[in-house]
């Protein structure tokens, strides 16, 4: 029986964030693995996401792209998973989910491309500087088990993924607050399932293309 939820991804992409969220939700889903430069740019997939990028999900005929949006959408679409706070408690949830997907990721990308905004440019750029963005992010997670409220939410999937990935690849400097925040997230069963799935797919792809 085909699931009502379809996931388009490549295991070596931000799709790992959406995979973790899907595993937290626990609903059945079909997976379509796309290749960079080929199936990701085919007309069939461009009809789903005109950007030709992954991840994307289709749920009941509705398309959602962008990892933060996917996390927020799935939390609302599957309320039994309890991955979104009550409406009255969503200030920090929305704030840090979208701060991390906006200014933090922009700052990291700019740094990776060798862009160091001048003081004048920092006033114009939403992220200001990488140091400023990371200082704010550190303040959001320091001394906390969860970034928004007293239980794990979709915001932790996204914020946790960005910090986890950044620490792993050196795009986010190691700070005690970051290390303490992500350590228990890495022990979650859904996180481990998602990593096992994507690491298995990566191994298959590398075996098929050893060069």
């Amino acid at each position: 029986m085909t699931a009502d939820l379809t996931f388009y991804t490549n295991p070596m992409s931000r799709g790992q964030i959406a995979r973790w969220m899907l595993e937290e939700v626990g609903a059945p889903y079909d997976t379509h693995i796309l290749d960079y430069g080929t199936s990701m740019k085919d007309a069939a997939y461009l009809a789903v996401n005109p950007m030709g990028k992954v991840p994307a999900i289709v749920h009941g005929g509705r398309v959602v792209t962008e990892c933060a949006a996917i996390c927020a959408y799935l939390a609302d679409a599957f309320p039994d998973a309890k991955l979104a706070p009550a409406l009255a408690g969503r200030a920090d949830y929305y704030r840090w989910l979208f701060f991390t997907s906006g200014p933090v990721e922009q700052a990291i990308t700019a740094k990776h491309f060798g862009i160091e905004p001048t003081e004048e440019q920092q006033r114009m750029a939403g992220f200001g500087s990488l140091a400023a963005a990371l200082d704010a992010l550190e303040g959001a997670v320091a001394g906390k088990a969860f970034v928004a409220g007293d239980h794990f939410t979709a915001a932790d999937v996204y914020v946790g993924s960005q910090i986890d990935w950044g620490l792993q690849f050196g795009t986010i400097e190691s700070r005690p607050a970051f290390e303490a925040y992500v350590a228990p997230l890495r022990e979650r069963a859904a996180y481990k399932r998602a990593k096992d799935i994507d690491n298995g797919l990566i191994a298959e792809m590398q075996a098929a293309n050893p060069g």
Side-chain angles (χ1 to χ4, degrees):
M1 183 176 179
T2 302
D4 190 40
L5 183 56
T6 303
F7 175 42
Y8 296 89
T9 190
N10 181 292
M12 292 185 285
S13 76
R14 292 175 180 82
Q16 289 193 21
I17 302 173
R19 172 86 71 183
W20 179 12
M21 184 65 189
L22 286 162
E23 291 298 315
E24 291 284 355
V25 164
Y29 61 93
D30 294 326
T31 302
H32 289 233
I33 304 297
L34 303 178
D35 295 320
Y36 290 102
T38 55
S39 54
M40 213 175 285
K41 303 300 182 182
D42 283 349
Y45 184 61
L46 292 176
V48 175
N49 184 1
M51 288 290 290
K53 291 181 175 290
V54 291
I57 62 169
V58 179
H59 179 227
R62 296 176 294 274
V63 176
V64 187
T65 63
E66 316 316 314
C67 285
I70 290 170
C71 289
Y73 174 85
L74 288 172
D76 286 341
F78 298 93
D80 289 348
K82 295 180 171 58
L83 293 170
L87 286 175
R90 290 197 185 184
D92 282 348
Y93 173 78
Y94 287 132
R95 179 185 182 185
W96 298 116
L97 178 62
F98 295 112
F99 175 77
T100 308
S101 66
V104 171
E105 181 160 344
Q106 291 166 11
I108 291 171
T109 301
K111 178 70 172 181
H112 180 73
F113 290 159
I115 299 170
E116 295 281 357
T118 65
E119 184 174 345
E120 180 65 28
Q121 290 170 333
Q122 288 179 27
R123 297 193 190 103
M124 300 170 63
F127 61 85
S129 68
L130 178 59
L134 292 184
D135 286 348
L137 185 62
E138 180 180 14
V141 301
K144 298 178 184 176
F146 310 110
V147 73
D150 59 2
H151 73 282
F152 180 88
T153 68
D156 293 297
V157 172
Y158 191 86
V159 175
S161 291
Q162 288 286 7
I163 295 176
D164 183 32
W165 186 277
L167 293 175
Q168 181 181 353
F169 290 99
T171 56
I172 289 180
E173 64 187 42
S174 178
R175 299 184 183 184
F178 292 153
E179 300 284 357
Y181 171 66
V182 298
L185 300 182
R186 292 169 177 157
E187 297 303 314
R188 292 185 65 84
Y191 174 96
K192 292 182 176 181
R193 285 197 306 272
K195 287 296 184 185
D196 286 346
I197 293 169
D198 281 324
N199 287 339
L201 289 168
I202 290 171
E204 290 176 11
M205 293 169 66
Q206 291 174 338
N209 300 281

